Amino acid sequence: MANELMNGRQNWLDNFGGDDWFKNFGQQLLAMSPETDNLLKTDVKETDKDYQLAVDLPGLDKKDIHVDYQDNTLKISAKRDSFADHSDSQGNMVQSERHYGRFSRQFYLPGVNRDQIDAQYQDGVLQLMLPKLNESDQPANPIEIR
């Protein structure tokens, strides 16, 4: 289920048929757009027991990363206040691609046991393990018929 939710952007490119040149061109075009430029690059894996995420957050301090799970939605946000300016004395810089500011992503991941979520941050990668609720752990929500 998660794969269907996460791969929406790729799926529309696949609908153009077997033309690999166009598909690769489209992916490169999306990667360059300002809309996707600030997204936290994430790998999401779903198993029968859990969701596993790896989020690239290079150059950030752990204290600047916030993770929350509420209403079946995982929210990851981070902030980078500034970065070292490597301009010369006249302010010249050939190229600057590092971003500062606030960054965030949200993922719809239903049925997670919120109390057992595990998060670790090391070497610029945030690893998240979100165990799924067992059928017996999920609260019954009967619907009253009127």
Side-chain angles (χ1 to χ4, degrees), residues 4-130:
E4 293 170 8
L5 297 172
M6 303 302 169
N7 291 331
R9 188 172 23 173
Q10 178 60 43
N11 289 341
W12 76 268
L13 289 171
D14 291 340
N15 290 332
F16 286 102
D19 190 350
D20 287 336
W21 181 86
F22 181 79
K23 187 165 48 172
N24 291 336
F25 177 74
Q27 289 172 337
Q28 292 170 0
L29 201 60
L30 281 172
M32 293 186 317
S33 74
E35 178 182 322
T36 60
D37 203 40
N38 291 335
L39 295 179
L40 305 175
K41 305 300 184 198
T42 306
D43 293 335
V44 180
K45 179 181 177 182
E46 180 180 14
T47 69
D48 292 339
K49 297 180 181 185
D50 59 23
Y51 298 101
Q52 302 166 16
L53 286 82
V55 186
D56 284 346
L57 296 166
L60 292 174
D61 291 331
K62 184 168 55 172
K63 66 178 177 51
D64 294 328
I65 302 168
H66 180 74
V67 179
D68 185 40
Y69 183 81
Q70 186 175 353
D71 299 327
N72 293 320
T73 303
L74 176 71
K75 298 174 187 173
I76 304 167
S77 59
K79 67 176 180 146
R80 180 179 293 134
D81 290 328
S82 64
F83 57 88
D85 185 2
H86 296 290
S87 301
D88 62 15
S89 61
Q90 298 171 340
N92 296 321
M93 182 177 291
V94 174
Q95 183 171 336
S96 178
E97 296 179 343
R98 296 176 299 155
H99 298 280
Y100 62 94
R102 297 189 181 275
F103 314 95
S104 65
R105 291 272 319 255
Q106 295 185 16
F107 300 91
Y108 178 74
L109 303 171
V112 168
N113 186 338
R114 189 182 196 297
D115 296 331
Q116 294 185 6
I117 295 174
D118 181 49
Q120 298 179 17
Y121 181 66
Q122 183 176 0
D123 298 329
V125 178
L126 175 64
Q127 298 282 344
L128 294 162
M129 181 80 66
L130 293 88

